[in-house]
Amino acid sequence: MPLRLPDRLPAIDLLKQENIFVMDDTRAHSQDIRPLRIVILNLMPLKITTETDLIRLLSNTPLQLEISFMKLKSHTPKNTPIEHMMMFYRDFAEMRQEKFDGMIITGAPVEQLDFEEVSYWDEITEIFAWARTHVTSTLYICWAAQAGLYYHYGIPKYPLPMKMFGIFSQKPLDPQLPIFRGFDDEFMMPHSRHTEIHREDILANPNLQLIAESDECGVSVVMAREGREFFITGHLEYAPNTLDNEYKRDKDIRKDVAPPQNYYRNNNPANPPLVTWRSHANLFYINWVNYYVYQETPYNIEDIK
């Protein structure tokens, strides 16, 4: 089934060019189907890019999904036209009475700040608390994963001596979990971060389950509340050229920027990227929507609690 997206969302035309079937609201209302409601709190600077990346992955489920976008009232993005934000995003205050089958909270370029120093910390932690009673399952990505683990479970983050930057092999620690159905013994995941969380802190908390990790980049996926919360320290949603764009941007600003590891063919930045994570990224999101959202959410969305 297709995705239900707001009319005129830029991602619609971009994804149609990739032969991905999407449906705008006007057409979707003619179908008598109870779609799964997914809300995305998009904290990334390039909103349209992140919207497209996430919608691309969500489009592969056979279920009909209705996508909404949430924004913070306490933060004004600098890299996305205000017209786009006004047309497609709503403040949390406007949505707090609604319930959603699934939620995705993205990373943000604030990871080198202490959590409490982030200008919108009070509002985002209010959203973290709200999600527990208004959403069936929530995915926290990159900085949001670290912030969610800190807020909900007191897990600290630690600075890295060098940026974790590249594509790294991950091991599922419990292959029988539905989130890993169809996975190989190892899978690849992009990472781009200056901080990390430690496995000892996760293992010491009985409310958390470390379900995937890497010899190279450490903790990668943590599960809590039997799948009502997932914390992903990397970026399965990244498009093939995302790390390349980031590398070229940063090396023009600073001299100490190393190329992303395990990313370019023959590890040579003059070569194009080698995409090694796309199939597992699609499978991860399909499994999340199917087993942790669709199979667990009530038919009457107001019964979520």
Side-chain angles (χ1 to χ4, degrees):
M1 294 295 289
L3 296 176
R4 289 177 55 169
L5 301 173
D7 293 347
R8 301 187 301 280
L9 185 75
I12 294 175
D13 288 335
L14 293 171
L15 294 175
K16 282 182 177 178
Q17 293 172 22
E18 300 178 24
N19 201 29
I20 291 175
F21 184 26
V22 295
M23 179 185 291
D24 61 30
D25 276 340
T26 302
R27 181 178 174 194
H29 281 308
S30 67
Q31 294 191 330
D32 187 18
I33 294 173
R34 183 333 209 160
L36 294 176
R37 301 192 70 209
I38 306 293
V39 60
I40 298 174
L41 174 56
N42 186 0
L43 304 173
M44 294 291 275
L46 302 177
K47 306 292 185 194
I48 295 172
T49 298
T50 302
E51 292 162 13
T52 307
D53 288 345
L54 289 170
I55 290 169
R56 182 183 292 111
L57 292 175
L58 292 170
S59 70
N60 285 306
T61 171
L63 302 167
Q64 187 179 121
L65 308 182
E66 177 185 294
I67 309 297
S68 301
F69 295 99
M70 178 185 290
K71 65 182 177 72
L72 301 174
K73 190 171 185 178
S74 54
H75 176 71
T76 301
K78 300 176 182 178
N79 299 291
T80 303
I82 187 65
E83 295 82 6
H84 182 87
M85 300 301 298
M86 292 177 65
M87 181 173 290
F88 300 115
Y89 284 73
R90 290 189 290 153
D91 289 338
F92 166 60
E94 299 175 37
M95 306 175 78
R96 65 185 312 147
Q97 300 304 320
E98 301 179 40
K99 294 195 175 183
F100 295 88
D101 303 291
M103 183 173 194
I104 300 171
I105 307 176
T106 74
V110 294
E111 62 173 315
Q112 291 178 292
L113 297 174
D114 289 340
F115 292 118
E116 290 84 359
E117 291 180 355
V118 175
S119 62
Y120 46 79
W121 182 247
D122 288 344
E123 185 177 8
I124 200 170
T125 53
E126 188 178 1
I127 294 171
F128 290 170
W130 167 88
R132 285 196 153 181
T133 55
H134 288 73
V135 180
T136 296
S137 183
T138 303
L139 293 184
Y140 294 79
I141 299 173
C142 198
W143 177 81
Q146 295 182 348
L149 285 167
Y150 175 74
Y151 173 75
H152 289 306
Y153 301 102
I155 303 297
K157 65 177 179 179
Y158 302 88
L160 288 165
M162 292 184 62
K163 183 179 182 180
M164 189 66 65
F165 190 39
I167 314 298
F168 302 101
S169 178
Q170 321 292 321
K171 299 176 184 176
L173 301 182
D174 188 351
Q176 299 304 311
L177 285 173
I179 196 69
F180 294 132
R181 284 187 181 159
F183 270 56
D184 296 318
D185 293 337
E186 296 186 359
F187 64 100
M188 306 301 285
M189 182 188 293
H191 285 258
S192 178
R193 51 186 167 83
H194 295 273
T195 56
E196 66 177 353
I197 53 178
H198 289 173
R199 75 187 308 269
E200 310 88 68
D201 295 333
I202 301 299
L203 296 178
N205 191 314
N207 296 309
L208 297 173
Q209 184 178 354
L210 176 59
I211 63 173
E213 64 179 346
S214 167
D215 292 337
E216 296 176 278
C217 65
V219 172
S220 58
V221 187
V222 176
M223 185 175 78
R225 301 173 66 221
E226 299 182 333
R228 293 200 67 176
E229 295 167 346
F230 287 94
F231 304 91
I232 308 162
T233 63
H235 289 279
L236 283 169
E237 79 282 3
Y238 269 4
N241 63 343
T242 303
L243 292 184
D244 180 58
N245 292 339
E246 186 175 333
Y247 170 60
K248 290 175 179 176
R249 178 200 67 197
D250 290 352
K251 76 182 182 68
D252 288 340
I253 300 172
R254 305 194 317 272
K255 301 294 185 182
D256 61 343
V257 177
Q261 300 178 56
N262 314 312
Y263 178 57
Y264 298 109
R265 294 176 187 271
N266 301 318
N267 282 316
N268 182 350
N271 294 329
L274 180 66
V275 180
T276 57
W277 67 94
R278 183 161 42 202
S279 59
H280 282 102
N282 278 288
L283 192 52
F284 186 95
Y285 276 78
I286 289 171
N287 286 344
W288 173 65
V289 169
N290 184 17
Y291 298 114
Y292 297 91
V293 180
Y294 176 64
Q295 301 289 347
E296 299 296 330
T297 203
Y299 181 78
N300 182 353
I301 199 168
E302 295 303 320
D303 291 340
I304 294 173
K305 57 184 178 181

